[in-house]
Amino acid sequence: MTVKKTLLLILGVLLAFWAGAQDRDPADCLVKTASRWGAPCEKCEIYKDGYKRDFSGTYSVDLKNTCSDLVEVKVAVQEKNGTWRIFPVRTLSGNEVMTVFACQGTGKYLYWVRRVNDTEILLPSDQEILTEYRSR
């Protein structure tokens, strides 16, 4: 096989790989990179002994966009009482990480992802999340 044919073959394989990556589901781009129990959280104001902040029930999750495309993400994290702490839609660029939390978490979280400006995929409203996932 000549050098020219080899280069063309490699180029063809790379183009096929790149074309396949364009069909990737945006939800595959979001990956959990870490989760923590008991980490301090400025927004959680739970106290024990009257004055000491208690972070023992705090659950936080780091979610990373592993794709190069911009994606819009909506996340909900469940609190112990069964309600969902819902975070506003956020746009993540490639390799950007977002951290979400529950002050008294169960360890459960949900997320929805779409490419930026994708009008075919509808992200649920806060009310839809609260009613649809109430008992889950």
Side-chain angles (χ1 to χ4, degrees), residues 93-121:
S93 59
N95 291 319
E96 188 175 358
V97 176
M98 76 181 287
T99 301
V100 293
F101 65 91
C103 293
Q104 291 292 309
T106 63
K108 294 180 182 179
Y109 64 96
L110 303 168
Y111 63 87
W112 297 264
V113 184
R114 69 178 178 194
R115 286 188 181 86
V116 170
N117 298 325
D118 184 346
T119 57
E120 291 181 15
I121 296 176

PDB file of all heavy atoms in Angstrom, residues 93-121:
ATOM      1  N   SER A  93     -20.047  24.913  28.498  1.00  0.00           N
ATOM      2  CA  SER A  93     -19.149  24.748  27.361  1.00  0.00           C
ATOM      3  C   SER A  93     -18.354  23.457  27.553  1.00  0.00           C
ATOM      4  O   SER A  93     -18.464  22.794  28.591  1.00  0.00           O
ATOM      5  CB  SER A  93     -18.207  25.950  27.255  1.00  0.00           C
ATOM      6  OG  SER A  93     -17.459  26.080  28.436  1.00  0.00           O
ATOM      7  N   GLY A  94     -17.552  23.096  26.570  1.00  0.00           N
ATOM      8  CA  GLY A  94     -16.766  21.876  26.651  1.00  0.00           C
ATOM      9  C   GLY A  94     -15.874  21.855  27.878  1.00  0.00           C
ATOM     10  O   GLY A  94     -15.217  22.840  28.188  1.00  0.00           O
ATOM     11  N   ASN A  95     -15.890  20.746  28.602  1.00  0.00           N
ATOM     12  CA  ASN A  95     -15.102  20.507  29.811  1.00  0.00           C
ATOM     13  C   ASN A  95     -15.493  21.368  31.009  1.00  0.00           C
ATOM     14  O   ASN A  95     -14.806  21.359  32.029  1.00  0.00           O
ATOM     15  CB  ASN A  95     -13.601  20.657  29.542  1.00  0.00           C
ATOM     16  CG  ASN A  95     -13.100  19.541  28.655  1.00  0.00           C
ATOM     17  OD1 ASN A  95     -13.484  18.393  28.817  1.00  0.00           O
ATOM     18  ND2 ASN A  95     -12.257  19.883  27.703  1.00  0.00           N
ATOM     19  N   GLU A  96     -16.578  22.115  30.906  1.00  0.00           N
ATOM     20  CA  GLU A  96     -17.036  22.914  32.046  1.00  0.00           C
ATOM     21  C   GLU A  96     -17.792  22.019  33.029  1.00  0.00           C
ATOM     22  O   GLU A  96     -18.485  21.088  32.645  1.00  0.00           O
ATOM     23  CB  GLU A  96     -17.936  24.052  31.569  1.00  0.00           C
ATOM     24  CG  GLU A  96     -18.283  25.029  32.667  1.00  0.00           C
ATOM     25  CD  GLU A  96     -19.070  26.226  32.159  1.00  0.00           C
ATOM     26  OE1 GLU A  96     -19.318  26.332  30.938  1.00  0.00           O
ATOM     27  OE2 GLU A  96     -19.445  27.059  32.989  1.00  0.00           O
ATOM     28  N   VAL A  97     -17.642  22.326  34.315  1.00  0.00           N
ATOM     29  CA  VAL A  97     -18.261  21.535  35.382  1.00  0.00           C
ATOM     30  C   VAL A  97     -19.263  22.405  36.132  1.00  0.00           C
ATOM     31  O   VAL A  97     -19.008  23.580  36.394  1.00  0.00           O
ATOM     32  CB  VAL A  97     -17.189  21.020  36.374  1.00  0.00           C
ATOM     33  CG1 VAL A  97     -17.828  20.276  37.537  1.00  0.00           C
ATOM     34  CG2 VAL A  97     -16.189  20.127  35.655  1.00  0.00           C
ATOM     35  N   MET A  98     -20.399  21.816  36.470  1.00  0.00           N
ATOM     36  CA  MET A  98     -21.353  22.502  37.342  1.00  0.00           C
ATOM     37  C   MET A  98     -21.555  21.645  38.587  1.00  0.00           C
ATOM     38  O   MET A  98     -21.540  20.419  38.517  1.00  0.00           O
ATOM     39  CB  MET A  98     -22.679  22.787  36.635  1.00  0.00           C
ATOM     40  CG  MET A  98     -23.606  21.623  36.456  1.00  0.00           C
ATOM     41  SD  MET A  98     -25.157  22.014  35.587  1.00  0.00           S
ATOM     42  CE  MET A  98     -26.062  22.928  36.794  1.00  0.00           C
ATOM     43  N   THR A  99     -21.704  22.315  39.727  1.00  0.00           N
ATOM     44  CA  THR A  99     -21.932  21.616  40.986  1.00  0.00           C
ATOM     45  C   THR A  99     -23.336  21.936  41.463  1.00  0.00           C
ATOM     46  O   THR A  99     -23.741  23.095  41.491  1.00  0.00           O
ATOM     47  CB  THR A  99     -20.898  22.058  42.042  1.00  0.00           C
ATOM     48  OG1 THR A  99     -19.591  21.770  41.547  1.00  0.00           O
ATOM     49  CG2 THR A  99     -21.113  21.315  43.350  1.00  0.00           C
ATOM     50  N   VAL A 100     -24.074  20.893  41.816  1.00  0.00           N
ATOM     51  CA  VAL A 100     -25.434  21.031  42.329  1.00  0.00           C
ATOM     52  C   VAL A 100     -25.483  20.340  43.693  1.00  0.00           C
ATOM     53  O   VAL A 100     -24.624  19.521  44.011  1.00  0.00           O
ATOM     54  CB  VAL A 100     -26.472  20.449  41.355  1.00  0.00           C
ATOM     55  CG1 VAL A 100     -26.534  21.263  40.082  1.00  0.00           C
ATOM     56  CG2 VAL A 100     -26.179  19.002  41.036  1.00  0.00           C
ATOM     57  N   PHE A 101     -26.495  20.646  44.495  1.00  0.00           N
ATOM     58  CA  PHE A 101     -26.509  20.143  45.860  1.00  0.00           C
ATOM     59  C   PHE A 101     -27.925  20.018  46.404  1.00  0.00           C
ATOM     60  O   PHE A 101     -28.870  20.584  45.857  1.00  0.00           O
ATOM     61  CB  PHE A 101     -25.711  21.087  46.764  1.00  0.00           C
ATOM     62  CG  PHE A 101     -26.346  22.442  46.866  1.00  0.00           C
ATOM     63  CD1 PHE A 101     -27.258  22.726  47.867  1.00  0.00           C
ATOM     64  CD2 PHE A 101     -26.059  23.436  45.934  1.00  0.00           C
ATOM     65  CE1 PHE A 101     -27.867  23.974  47.941  1.00  0.00           C
ATOM     66  CE2 PHE A 101     -26.656  24.672  46.000  1.00  0.00           C
ATOM     67  CZ  PHE A 101     -27.566  24.946  47.012  1.00  0.00           C
ATOM     68  N   ALA A 102     -28.026  19.274  47.500  1.00  0.00           N
ATOM     69  CA  ALA A 102     -29.217  19.234  48.340  1.00  0.00           C
ATOM     70  C   ALA A 102     -28.719  19.378  49.772  1.00  0.00           C
ATOM     71  O   ALA A 102     -27.719  18.759  50.152  1.00  0.00           O
ATOM     72  CB  ALA A 102     -29.978  17.928  48.163  1.00  0.00           C
ATOM     73  N   CYS A 103     -29.396  20.194  50.561  1.00  0.00           N
ATOM     74  CA  CYS A 103     -28.941  20.437  51.932  1.00  0.00           C
ATOM     75  C   CYS A 103     -29.154  19.227  52.832  1.00  0.00           C
ATOM     76  O   CYS A 103     -28.355  18.961  53.721  1.00  0.00           O
ATOM     77  CB  CYS A 103     -29.653  21.658  52.507  1.00  0.00           C
ATOM     78  SG  CYS A 103     -29.180  23.188  51.661  1.00  0.00           S
ATOM     79  N   GLN A 104     -30.204  18.495  52.616  1.00  0.00           N
ATOM     80  CA  GLN A 104     -30.484  17.239  53.312  1.00  0.00           C
ATOM     81  C   GLN A 104     -30.806  16.215  52.232  1.00  0.00           C
ATOM     82  O   GLN A 104     -31.961  15.848  52.030  1.00  0.00           O
ATOM     83  CB  GLN A 104     -31.649  17.393  54.291  1.00  0.00           C
ATOM     84  CG  GLN A 104     -31.343  18.248  55.488  1.00  0.00           C
ATOM     85  CD  GLN A 104     -30.334  17.583  56.411  1.00  0.00           C
ATOM     86  OE1 GLN A 104     -30.487  16.428  56.794  1.00  0.00           O
ATOM     87  NE2 GLN A 104     -29.293  18.313  56.747  1.00  0.00           N
ATOM     88  N   GLY A 105     -29.807  15.765  51.511  1.00  0.00           N
ATOM     89  CA  GLY A 105     -30.006  14.967  50.310  1.00  0.00           C
ATOM     90  C   GLY A 105     -30.271  13.495  50.535  1.00  0.00           C
ATOM     91  O   GLY A 105     -29.986  12.940  51.600  1.00  0.00           O
ATOM     92  N   THR A 106     -30.807  12.890  49.479  1.00  0.00           N
ATOM     93  CA  THR A 106     -31.022  11.442  49.464  1.00  0.00           C
ATOM     94  C   THR A 106     -29.976  10.741  48.602  1.00  0.00           C
ATOM     95  O   THR A 106     -29.888   9.518  48.625  1.00  0.00           O
ATOM     96  CB  THR A 106     -32.405  11.094  48.869  1.00  0.00           C
ATOM     97  OG1 THR A 106     -32.442  11.535  47.500  1.00  0.00           O
ATOM     98  CG2 THR A 106     -33.530  11.722  49.659  1.00  0.00           C
ATOM     99  N   GLY A 107     -29.225  11.510  47.818  1.00  0.00           N
ATOM    100  CA  GLY A 107     -28.264  10.920  46.896  1.00  0.00           C
ATOM    101  C   GLY A 107     -28.823  10.750  45.493  1.00  0.00           C
ATOM    102  O   GLY A 107     -28.128  10.296  44.597  1.00  0.00           O
ATOM    103  N   LYS A 108     -30.083  11.134  45.291  1.00  0.00           N
ATOM    104  CA  LYS A 108     -30.698  11.026  43.970  1.00  0.00           C
ATOM    105  C   LYS A 108     -30.650  12.368  43.257  1.00  0.00           C
ATOM    106  O   LYS A 108     -30.833  13.412  43.882  1.00  0.00           O
ATOM    107  CB  LYS A 108     -32.159  10.582  44.081  1.00  0.00           C
ATOM    108  CG  LYS A 108     -32.341   9.193  44.622  1.00  0.00           C
ATOM    109  CD  LYS A 108     -33.809   8.845  44.696  1.00  0.00           C
ATOM    110  CE  LYS A 108     -34.015   7.464  45.273  1.00  0.00           C
ATOM    111  NZ  LYS A 108     -35.450   7.135  45.369  1.00  0.00           N
ATOM    112  N   TYR A 109     -30.436  12.297  41.957  1.00  0.00           N
ATOM    113  CA  TYR A 109     -30.475  13.508  41.140  1.00  0.00           C
ATOM    114  C   TYR A 109     -30.954  13.139  39.741  1.00  0.00           C
ATOM    115  O   TYR A 109     -30.838  11.997  39.302  1.00  0.00           O
ATOM    116  CB  TYR A 109     -29.108  14.201  41.091  1.00  0.00           C
ATOM    117  CG  TYR A 109     -28.018  13.403  40.429  1.00  0.00           C
ATOM    118  CD1 TYR A 109     -27.703  13.611  39.094  1.00  0.00           C
ATOM    119  CD2 TYR A 109     -27.310  12.438  41.124  1.00  0.00           C
ATOM    120  CE1 TYR A 109     -26.711  12.871  38.467  1.00  0.00           C
ATOM    121  CE2 TYR A 109     -26.320  11.701  40.516  1.00  0.00           C
ATOM    122  CZ  TYR A 109     -26.022  11.917  39.190  1.00  0.00           C
ATOM    123  OH  TYR A 109     -25.045  11.185  38.576  1.00  0.00           O
ATOM    124  N   LEU A 110     -31.516  14.123  39.064  1.00  0.00           N
ATOM    125  CA  LEU A 110     -32.012  13.973  37.699  1.00  0.00           C
ATOM    126  C   LEU A 110     -31.428  15.093  36.864  1.00  0.00           C
ATOM    127  O   LEU A 110     -31.178  16.188  37.377  1.00  0.00           O
ATOM    128  CB  LEU A 110     -33.542  14.098  37.664  1.00  0.00           C
ATOM    129  CG  LEU A 110     -34.339  13.148  38.539  1.00  0.00           C
ATOM    130  CD1 LEU A 110     -35.799  13.610  38.603  1.00  0.00           C
ATOM    131  CD2 LEU A 110     -34.271  11.736  37.979  1.00  0.00           C
ATOM    132  N   TYR A 111     -31.223  14.820  35.570  1.00  0.00           N
ATOM    133  CA  TYR A 111     -30.767  15.901  34.697  1.00  0.00           C
ATOM    134  C   TYR A 111     -31.325  15.720  33.299  1.00  0.00           C
ATOM    135  O   TYR A 111     -31.646  14.616  32.876  1.00  0.00           O
ATOM    136  CB  TYR A 111     -29.242  16.022  34.671  1.00  0.00           C
ATOM    137  CG  TYR A 111     -28.520  14.824  34.110  1.00  0.00           C
ATOM    138  CD1 TYR A 111     -28.295  14.695  32.746  1.00  0.00           C
ATOM    139  CD2 TYR A 111     -28.053  13.827  34.950  1.00  0.00           C
ATOM    140  CE1 TYR A 111     -27.627  13.599  32.231  1.00  0.00           C
ATOM    141  CE2 TYR A 111     -27.378  12.733  34.443  1.00  0.00           C
ATOM    142  CZ  TYR A 111     -27.166  12.621  33.087  1.00  0.00           C
ATOM    143  OH  TYR A 111     -26.510  11.540  32.570  1.00  0.00           O
ATOM    144  N   TRP A 112     -31.449  16.846  32.609  1.00  0.00           N
ATOM    145  CA  TRP A 112     -31.914  16.901  31.234  1.00  0.00           C
ATOM    146  C   TRP A 112     -30.906  17.730  30.456  1.00  0.00           C
ATOM    147  O   TRP A 112     -30.433  18.753  30.939  1.00  0.00           O
ATOM    148  CB  TRP A 112     -33.298  17.550  31.159  1.00  0.00           C
ATOM    149  CG  TRP A 112     -34.341  16.764  31.884  1.00  0.00           C
ATOM    150  CD1 TRP A 112     -35.201  15.861  31.346  1.00  0.00           C
ATOM    151  CD2 TRP A 112     -34.643  16.810  33.281  1.00  0.00           C
ATOM    152  NE1 TRP A 112     -36.011  15.341  32.333  1.00  0.00           N
ATOM    153  CE2 TRP A 112     -35.681  15.901  33.531  1.00  0.00           C
ATOM    154  CE3 TRP A 112     -34.113  17.524  34.370  1.00  0.00           C
ATOM    155  CZ2 TRP A 112     -36.220  15.692  34.791  1.00  0.00           C
ATOM    156  CZ3 TRP A 112     -34.630  17.311  35.630  1.00  0.00           C
ATOM    157  CH2 TRP A 112     -35.680  16.404  35.825  1.00  0.00           C
ATOM    158  N   VAL A 113     -30.586  17.281  29.251  1.00  0.00           N
ATOM    159  CA  VAL A 113     -29.552  17.940  28.456  1.00  0.00           C
ATOM    160  C   VAL A 113     -30.037  18.117  27.027  1.00  0.00           C
ATOM    161  O   VAL A 113     -30.712  17.240  26.483  1.00  0.00           O
ATOM    162  CB  VAL A 113     -28.252  17.101  28.421  1.00  0.00           C
ATOM    163  CG1 VAL A 113     -27.154  17.831  27.670  1.00  0.00           C
ATOM    164  CG2 VAL A 113     -27.798  16.742  29.817  1.00  0.00           C
ATOM    165  N   ARG A 114     -29.682  19.231  26.426  1.00  0.00           N
ATOM    166  CA  ARG A 114     -29.916  19.452  24.999  1.00  0.00           C
ATOM    167  C   ARG A 114     -28.813  20.367  24.462  1.00  0.00           C
ATOM    168  O   ARG A 114     -28.167  21.094  25.226  1.00  0.00           O
ATOM    169  CB  ARG A 114     -31.284  20.061  24.735  1.00  0.00           C
ATOM    170  CG  ARG A 114     -31.417  21.483  25.206  1.00  0.00           C
ATOM    171  CD  ARG A 114     -32.776  22.050  24.880  1.00  0.00           C
ATOM    172  NE  ARG A 114     -32.890  23.414  25.388  1.00  0.00           N
ATOM    173  CZ  ARG A 114     -34.015  24.062  25.497  1.00  0.00           C
ATOM    174  NH1 ARG A 114     -35.142  23.485  25.147  1.00  0.00           N
ATOM    175  NH2 ARG A 114     -34.035  25.286  25.956  1.00  0.00           N
ATOM    176  N   ARG A 115     -28.602  20.293  23.167  1.00  0.00           N
ATOM    177  CA  ARG A 115     -27.656  21.230  22.554  1.00  0.00           C
ATOM    178  C   ARG A 115     -28.246  22.637  22.616  1.00  0.00           C
ATOM    179  O   ARG A 115     -29.462  22.808  22.600  1.00  0.00           O
ATOM    180  CB  ARG A 115     -27.398  20.838  21.095  1.00  0.00           C
ATOM    181  CG  ARG A 115     -26.517  19.626  20.977  1.00  0.00           C
ATOM    182  CD  ARG A 115     -26.109  19.386  19.516  1.00  0.00           C
ATOM    183  NE  ARG A 115     -25.278  18.214  19.428  1.00  0.00           N
ATOM    184  CZ  ARG A 115     -25.719  16.967  19.319  1.00  0.00           C
ATOM    185  NH1 ARG A 115     -27.013  16.734  19.268  1.00  0.00           N
ATOM    186  NH2 ARG A 115     -24.880  15.953  19.258  1.00  0.00           N
ATOM    187  N   VAL A 116     -27.401  23.625  22.680  1.00  0.00           N
ATOM    188  CA  VAL A 116     -27.863  25.006  22.732  1.00  0.00           C
ATOM    189  C   VAL A 116     -28.702  25.305  21.492  1.00  0.00           C
ATOM    190  O   VAL A 116     -28.371  24.891  20.385  1.00  0.00           O
ATOM    191  CB  VAL A 116     -26.662  25.976  22.822  1.00  0.00           C
ATOM    192  CG1 VAL A 116     -27.097  27.410  22.636  1.00  0.00           C
ATOM    193  CG2 VAL A 116     -25.956  25.808  24.154  1.00  0.00           C
ATOM    194  N   ASN A 117     -29.808  25.962  21.694  1.00  0.00           N
ATOM    195  CA  ASN A 117     -30.742  26.368  20.629  1.00  0.00           C
ATOM    196  C   ASN A 117     -31.448  25.201  19.950  1.00  0.00           C
ATOM    197  O   ASN A 117     -31.983  25.364  18.860  1.00  0.00           O
ATOM    198  CB  ASN A 117     -30.030  27.231  19.577  1.00  0.00           C
ATOM    199  CG  ASN A 117     -29.499  28.502  20.164  1.00  0.00           C
ATOM    200  OD1 ASN A 117     -30.108  29.076  21.062  1.00  0.00           O
ATOM    201  ND2 ASN A 117     -28.349  28.942  19.688  1.00  0.00           N
ATOM    202  N   ASP A 118     -31.473  24.038  20.563  1.00  0.00           N
ATOM    203  CA  ASP A 118     -32.215  22.906  20.024  1.00  0.00           C
ATOM    204  C   ASP A 118     -33.670  23.056  20.472  1.00  0.00           C
ATOM    205  O   ASP A 118     -33.995  22.851  21.637  1.00  0.00           O
ATOM    206  CB  ASP A 118     -31.642  21.589  20.538  1.00  0.00           C
ATOM    207  CG  ASP A 118     -32.318  20.370  19.930  1.00  0.00           C
ATOM    208  OD1 ASP A 118     -33.400  20.516  19.319  1.00  0.00           O
ATOM    209  OD2 ASP A 118     -31.763  19.272  20.059  1.00  0.00           O
ATOM    210  N   THR A 119     -34.523  23.435  19.557  1.00  0.00           N
ATOM    211  CA  THR A 119     -35.928  23.680  19.903  1.00  0.00           C
ATOM    212  C   THR A 119     -36.773  22.412  19.868  1.00  0.00           C
ATOM    213  O   THR A 119     -37.932  22.436  20.269  1.00  0.00           O
ATOM    214  CB  THR A 119     -36.544  24.723  18.944  1.00  0.00           C
ATOM    215  OG1 THR A 119     -36.393  24.253  17.604  1.00  0.00           O
ATOM    216  CG2 THR A 119     -35.859  26.061  19.098  1.00  0.00           C
ATOM    217  N   GLU A 120     -36.208  21.310  19.401  1.00  0.00           N
ATOM    218  CA  GLU A 120     -36.962  20.049  19.350  1.00  0.00           C
ATOM    219  C   GLU A 120     -37.017  19.367  20.713  1.00  0.00           C
ATOM    220  O   GLU A 120     -37.965  18.652  21.004  1.00  0.00           O
ATOM    221  CB  GLU A 120     -36.346  19.110  18.322  1.00  0.00           C
ATOM    222  CG  GLU A 120     -36.520  19.589  16.895  1.00  0.00           C
ATOM    223  CD  GLU A 120     -35.922  18.632  15.884  1.00  0.00           C
ATOM    224  OE1 GLU A 120     -35.628  17.484  16.242  1.00  0.00           O
ATOM    225  OE2 GLU A 120     -35.755  19.044  14.737  1.00  0.00           O
ATOM    226  N   ILE A 121     -35.995  19.560  21.523  1.00  0.00           N
ATOM    227  CA  ILE A 121     -35.960  18.955  22.851  1.00  0.00           C
ATOM    228  C   ILE A 121     -36.428  20.003  23.850  1.00  0.00           C
ATOM    229  O   ILE A 121     -35.843  21.081  23.962  1.00  0.00           O
ATOM    230  CB  ILE A 121     -34.548  18.463  23.203  1.00  0.00           C
ATOM    231  CG1 ILE A 121     -34.123  17.357  22.246  1.00  0.00           C
ATOM    232  CG2 ILE A 121     -34.503  17.975  24.654  1.00  0.00           C
ATOM    233  CD1 ILE A 121     -32.706  16.867  22.436  1.00  0.00           C
TER     234      ILE A 121
END
